Amino acid sequence: MLKKTITMITFAFTIMLLAACGGESNGSSGGQLVTISGSTSVGPLAEKLAIKYEETEDVKIEINQIGSSAGITNAINGVSQIGMSSRDLKQEEIDTGIEQLVIAYDGIVVVTHPSNPVKDITMEQVKQIFTGDVTNWKQLGGKDMEIVVVSREDGSGSRDAFQEIVGYESGQLIRNAIVASGNGNIKTTVATNKHAVGFISFEYIDETVSALAINGVEAKAVNVLDGNYELSRPFLFVHEKEVPEAATKFMDFILSSDGQKIVESAGAIPVTK
């Protein structure tokens, strides 16, 4: 009886080891595993690309949307094979030897509640709103009501890019601003508050919010490509020089004509046009 029990325990332990080894090296799908983490702006696009790629390749792509800075750190430290960023790399990040790949371009759009009559503002007015120099929509030709500013959290690539382009620093953000984590939360907050204004990625634009023109230029991909729409930034994959073959092949797919068609259909702007 004792011998039989020991044999059963040994067998069960062997099965667990095999399962663990298989999961670590191959992923739950039985194929190779690609790990990606980072920007909540790049994340939805990466997921669409991953779904299509997994249809034809024996690979499992795991994507964790935790913010640009965290994703870059994960790639530098080898926690993830690929980091996603919606901002340019900082010098100290570049100095680590991390490499970057532009997979798409994106516009950042300033959004309000659909009922707000203000549809076009200048870049200087955007800065005045987010730094608190303009606090009432009446000052911009709108209704007499307080402006509620909605911004992204610290570490957000979208926030860093937005502030750099508009021309203010985190310490200048109006103190009573609502801080929301992720594009989706900003969109939901603005869509349910007639006083609100925020900024989101192009791919999140829908009928629940109103996209403002900046300096008379509409938030459209063609205007980004032409260089006329100023609120734009690259979508980056960052990675160590040497990455697993499966990760390299996925990045090659993204830059292929099929991959860039998915980029365009997702609302982002292709690298190759």
Side-chain angles (χ1 to χ4, degrees), residues 43-55:
L45 173 60
E47 287 179 345
K48 290 181 176 68
L49 289 159
I51 289 171
K52 192 66 177 178
Y53 189 67
E54 288 175 341
E55 290 178 358

Side-chain angles (χ1 to χ4, degrees), residues 21-242:
C21 290
E24 181 177 346
S25 61
N26 298 326
S28 59
S29 68
Q32 297 183 46
L33 178 64
V34 177
T35 57
I36 303 175
S37 64
S39 169
T40 61
S41 295
V42 184
L45 173 60
E47 287 179 345
K48 290 181 176 68
L49 289 159
I51 289 171
K52 192 66 177 178
Y53 189 67
E54 288 175 341
E55 290 178 358
T56 58
E57 299 293 329
D58 187 21
V59 63
K60 172 64 178 177
I61 301 173
E62 293 184 352
I63 298 173
N64 188 13
Q65 299 183 45
I66 56 175
S68 292
S69 295
I72 294 168
T73 299
N74 278 353
I76 291 172
N77 294 333
V79 177
S80 300
Q81 295 167 8
I82 297 171
M84 303 180 292
S85 177
S86 56
R87 63 164 172 80
D88 290 319
L89 295 181
K90 299 175 182 178
Q91 188 57 51
E92 58 266 28
E93 294 165 343
I94 295 173
D95 291 342
T96 66
I98 201 76
E99 298 193 355
Q100 66 179 44
L101 175 72
V102 179
I103 66 166
Y105 291 97
D106 180 52
I108 303 174
V109 59
V110 178
V111 291
T112 62
H113 190 274
S115 67
N116 194 322
V118 176
K119 304 298 180 184
D120 188 349
I121 59 177
T122 67
M123 187 69 82
E124 179 61 26
Q125 287 171 331
V126 175
K127 180 179 178 180
Q128 291 172 339
I129 289 170
F130 281 83
T131 58
D133 290 333
V134 170
T135 58
N136 193 298
W137 286 110
K138 186 177 181 180
Q139 295 173 265
L140 302 173
K143 298 177 182 178
D144 184 9
M145 59 182 187
E146 179 188 3
I147 296 175
V148 175
V149 172
V150 188
S151 182
R152 288 291 301 279
E153 74 286 1
D154 282 327
S156 158
S158 295
R159 175 170 170 169
D160 288 345
F162 182 79
Q163 291 180 173
E164 182 177 351
I165 297 169
V166 175
Y168 70 94
E169 298 179 357
S170 289
Q172 296 176 282
L173 178 66
I174 186 170
R175 290 189 176 184
N176 63 351
I178 297 172
V179 177
S181 177
N183 285 277
N185 286 330
I186 283 192
K187 186 176 76 170
T188 298
T189 302
V190 172
T192 55
N193 188 330
K194 294 182 179 180
H195 295 253
V197 60
F199 55 89
I200 58 175
S201 173
F202 266 27
E203 60 188 306
Y204 284 83
I205 299 173
D206 60 25
E207 69 282 353
T208 66
V209 292
S210 176
L212 300 188
I214 305 296
N215 295 331
V217 181
E218 293 183 15
K220 293 183 177 180
V222 63
N223 292 329
V224 172
L225 290 172
D226 289 345
N228 295 321
Y229 187 80
E230 298 178 61
L231 279 172
S232 61
R233 43 54 187 293
F235 275 177
L236 303 177
F237 269 10
V238 297
H239 57 88
E240 294 179 334
K241 187 174 183 179
E242 299 293 334

Side-chain angles (χ1 to χ4, degrees), residues 257-268:
S257 58
D258 288 340
Q260 289 295 293
K261 286 177 183 176
I262 297 171
V263 166
E264 187 169 23
S265 65

